[in-house]
Amino acid sequence: MTESKDLYRDTPVRYLGYANEVGEAFRSIIGKRWVNATYGIATLYVLADTRQKGIDAYKAYANKPDYKARVAFTTADTLIWQLLASVAIPGFTINRVCAAANYVLKKSTNLPKNTRKLTVTAVGLCAIPFIIKPIDQCVDLLLDQSLRKLKPQ
């Protein structure tokens, strides 16, 4: 039996959830308006995944007496996990990594402004692959110790 792929977690569509991290890395170059647009893309990704997981839960539990609670739990779990693991924590992390890199470069080098901006962007982009798994694992742990204890049986 072959398991079906999760469009939002097992395909390149998953990268839409990282749009805001890329936006944060480019913040010094593209400006606040475009960074906000990348948060919009990531949020749409989160909402699409949440919708799909809710539909899947409804199909899986439709004949169970407590299907509403199970669907609500699955939907809430997906939404909270995605908002934390795909948008809020990674966006904040890359924002702070870039701010720190900019501060260090300003204080310790005489790089021209445009070179410094490009360097900060490169640092932010390079940090993204290193933060994904630890953040995902921390959010899993957080939800396992809180919300997921309320999961309907």
Side-chain angles (χ1 to χ4, degrees):
M1 184 169 134
T2 307
E3 287 188 37
S4 63
K5 277 189 172 183
D6 182 335
L7 174 67
Y8 296 98
R9 304 217 181 155
D10 301 326
T11 71
V13 171
R14 175 69 179 114
Y15 295 117
L16 292 173
Y18 303 134
N20 61 307
E21 287 99 307
V22 173
E24 286 293 350
F26 279 93
R27 179 180 284 276
S28 65
I29 296 172
I30 64 175
K32 185 178 179 179
R33 172 179 275 164
W34 290 107
V35 173
N36 290 343
T38 66
Y39 274 88
I41 293 167
T43 301
L44 287 174
Y45 161 82
V46 166
L47 294 174
D49 186 32
T50 301
R51 178 182 178 273
Q52 188 59 53
K53 297 298 184 295
I55 290 169
D56 293 347
Y58 178 79
K59 289 177 183 175
Y61 302 125
N63 296 326
K64 307 266 190 233
D66 62 344
Y67 78 94
K68 288 181 184 178
R70 290 175 185 234
V71 171
F73 175 83
T74 300
T75 303
D77 182 71
T78 303
L79 179 64
I80 293 166
W81 190 93
Q82 285 285 16
L83 283 174
L84 290 172
S86 295
V87 180
I89 298 171
F92 176 78
T93 302
I94 296 301
N95 178 283
R96 296 296 79 206
V97 165
C98 289
N102 188 50
Y103 177 81
V104 168
L105 290 171
K106 252 184 178 176
K107 294 291 183 185
S108 64
T109 69
N110 290 325
L111 288 175
K113 186 177 182 178
N114 287 339
T115 304
R116 190 177 72 244
K117 285 181 177 184
L118 289 172
T119 304
V120 167
T121 297
V123 168
L125 290 173
C126 289
I128 292 170
F130 295 101
I131 68 168
I132 293 168
K133 282 196 189 272
I135 289 173
D136 288 357
Q137 291 169 347
C138 287
V139 172
D140 274 331
L141 181 63
L142 173 69
L143 292 183
D144 287 346
Q145 297 301 314
S146 58
L147 177 70
R148 292 179 181 155
K149 289 184 177 194
L150 305 173
K151 184 176 182 177
Q153 298 302 324

